[in-house]
Amino acid sequence: MLDELFSIWPHVIAMAGICLTAAFTIWNGGGSYAAPAVTVALAHLLFRWAGGQWYYRRAKRQNPTFWMNFFIISALTSGTAWGASITLLLRGTSPSDRYLILTIACVIIQSATARAFMAPLPLIGQTCILIVQIVGVSLYHGDWIIAPAAILFAGFQLGHMRSLIRFRLRQLQVEAEKDALLQEIARTNEELRLANERLQKTALTDVLTGLFNRRALDRYMEANDPRQNAELLPYSVILFDVDHFKPFNDTYGHQAGDACLAAIGAALRAMPLPPGHMVARYGGEEFVMILPRTDAAAALTLAETIREKLSTLEIPVPEASARITVSLGVSSFGPGSTDTPLRLVRRADTALYRAKQLGRNRVEQEDAAATTIDA
């Protein structure tokens, strides 16, 4: 809006009208004040041009309120300058020339009317200053026709300005309501997106341990099947559970058992795992770790790290703390294998069962002849 208000072209057109009218009055033998009228108009044009250049070069460095106040001053200056030019032209001219001059004044007022919806008060003030000067000089010369005609025209234009302003205000109100509605829709969509994310996270997360649940595990293994993507090989699985968990529950109570599982979940979540690896609660006191791009040696080392870390946990129990141990089974396959992740989990379960048979608190690999790590 300010860009348009500071445009120089309406003033250039008004200047051209003043110059043509001055030339016409001189041609008809009048125009004794034509030169001062053109001088005032030219000085005003230069003032508005300089103000516009200042605005376009520095608008980003000042706030809009500053420039709006500057425009108010400029608009009132324009009304005074154009009024002075018109009144100078009216002096010493014939009655027929006065009607031409009044026409130019009407054009200037019409230009202000067309932009009144952008800055109502400054442009109405500009129009009133111009009209007062025209009416004053007309009455001074005893011209009782131009004065009432100018007043009637001004009244008509002010009414037209009022209609434009009311229309613009309604338009702005509609735009504001539309923007508010769009913001509300955007806010609602964002809330829905966050709610869906929370719901999805809840649906795929085990509430007690904070790890992924069985549903998330199934999705992960389906999406990360090495038969579909050979870059995932070698592929390993670690399956483990808490040793003597039922006696632990019977001794300390189910709340202590829940605290035990929650502590294990927190410890596993805190472990630095490479991107793409997954830890999930497999069921009850069982946990599983899926390790794409991990060979058997790395998986065995990681399994031993898990065993040692979990054995140091202090589990809060009534009036004391307790420690637990875990048994782990590891299974792996390398490039060229056609096994599925689910089959690998089953083989890790076999290794876990062997770890239980051999005394618990140990890591066993799927192959009975493979390396075994004891506590």
Side-chain angles (χ1 to χ4, degrees):
M1 183 186 73
L2 285 170
D3 289 346
E4 188 171 349
L5 288 174
F6 277 101
S7 175
I8 192 63
W9 291 110
H11 305 285
V12 172
I13 295 172
M15 179 69 193
I18 293 290
C19 291
L20 290 174
T21 305
F24 183 77
T25 57
I26 294 173
W27 178 267
N28 284 344
S32 55
Y33 292 92
V38 172
T39 301
V40 171
L42 180 59
H44 166 260
L45 181 63
L46 292 175
F47 167 75
R48 292 306 297 259
W49 176 82
Q53 292 300 308
W54 186 35
Y55 164 75
Y56 290 120
R57 290 178 182 177
R58 304 194 60 179
K60 294 182 180 179
R61 304 179 190 176
Q62 302 283 357
N63 58 54
T65 303
F66 171 85
W67 291 110
M68 196 65 217
N69 292 333
F70 180 71
F71 173 76
I72 292 173
I73 296 173
S74 300
L76 298 179
T77 302
S78 294
T80 303
W82 293 132
S85 296
I86 295 297
T87 54
L88 286 170
L89 288 175
L90 287 172
R91 298 188 65 179
T93 58
S94 63
S96 59
D97 292 343
R98 292 175 188 171
Y99 292 112
L100 174 62
I101 296 168
L102 182 60
T103 302
I104 296 301
C106 291
V107 171
I108 296 173
I109 295 173
Q110 187 69 37
S111 174
T113 302
R115 302 190 298 165
F117 67 89
M118 291 186 287
L121 294 180
L123 294 173
I124 290 174
Q126 173 184 305
T127 300
C128 291
I129 291 173
L130 180 58
I131 291 295
V132 166
Q133 292 181 79
I134 294 174
V135 171
V137 75
S138 299
L139 295 177
Y140 176 78
H141 286 291
D143 191 334
W144 299 98
I145 297 178
I146 291 181
I151 294 173
L152 288 174
F153 180 76
F156 172 78
Q157 290 303 112
L158 290 175
H160 186 48
M161 285 183 181
R162 180 174 177 272
S163 298
L164 287 176
I165 293 168
R166 291 180 63 185
F167 175 77
R168 179 58 176 166
L169 288 175
R170 287 196 296 269
Q171 185 181 21
L172 290 174
Q173 182 180 3
V174 170
E175 290 177 358
E177 291 174 353
K178 181 193 71 174
D179 291 342
L181 182 59
L182 290 175
Q183 291 176 2
E184 181 66 20
I185 292 174
R187 185 184 64 81
T188 302
N189 288 338
E190 180 65 13
E191 290 178 353
L192 287 174
R193 184 186 68 80
L194 294 176
N196 286 332
E197 288 182 357
R198 289 193 296 268
L199 182 62
Q200 184 177 12
K201 184 177 180 180
T202 301
L204 299 177
T205 303
D206 178 66
V207 177
L208 182 59
T209 63
L211 301 173
F212 288 109
N213 58 19
R214 187 65 177 269
R215 178 186 298 178
L217 175 66
D218 293 340
R219 289 187 180 182
Y220 177 86
M221 290 192 296
E222 182 179 354
N224 294 271
D225 191 333
R227 294 176 302 172
Q228 307 297 329
N229 184 3
E231 293 183 357
L232 297 175
L233 297 172
Y235 205 95
S236 298
V237 169
I238 302 175
L239 185 68
F240 56 99
D241 70 359
V242 181
D243 295 329
H244 304 295
F245 187 69
K246 187 177 184 303
F248 183 94
N249 267 341
D250 294 340
T251 302
Y252 300 112
H254 288 285
Q255 289 185 345
D258 289 346
C260 173
L261 296 178
I264 292 174
L268 294 174
R269 293 198 310 274
M271 291 187 66
L273 296 176
H277 290 19
M278 181 189 194
V279 186
R281 184 182 181 185
Y282 195 60
E285 70 275 18
E286 281 190 311
F287 300 87
V288 64
M289 187 174 290
I290 310 297
L291 308 169
R293 303 180 184 89
T294 304
D295 60 18
L300 284 169
T301 301
L302 180 57
E304 178 60 17
T305 300
I306 294 172
R307 187 192 67 78
E308 291 178 354
K309 183 177 182 64
L310 297 184
S311 66
T312 63
L313 291 179
E314 295 285 344
I315 310 300
V317 297
E319 300 181 358
S321 63
R323 292 193 175 186
I324 49 99
T325 61
V326 293
S327 299
L328 306 94
V330 179
S331 62
S332 306
F333 57 71
S337 174
T338 58
D339 276 349
T340 65
L342 181 59
R343 188 176 300 173
L344 202 59
V345 172
R346 292 172 181 168
R347 288 159 55 182
D349 187 49
T350 301
L352 172 60
Y353 181 72
R354 186 166 58 253
K356 294 287 188 182
Q357 288 181 321
L358 294 176
R360 295 181 171 82
N361 191 23
R362 60 190 295 123
V363 178
E364 285 292 326
Q365 199 174 14
E366 57 179 312
D367 186 1
T371 301
T372 299
I373 301 179
D374 295 325

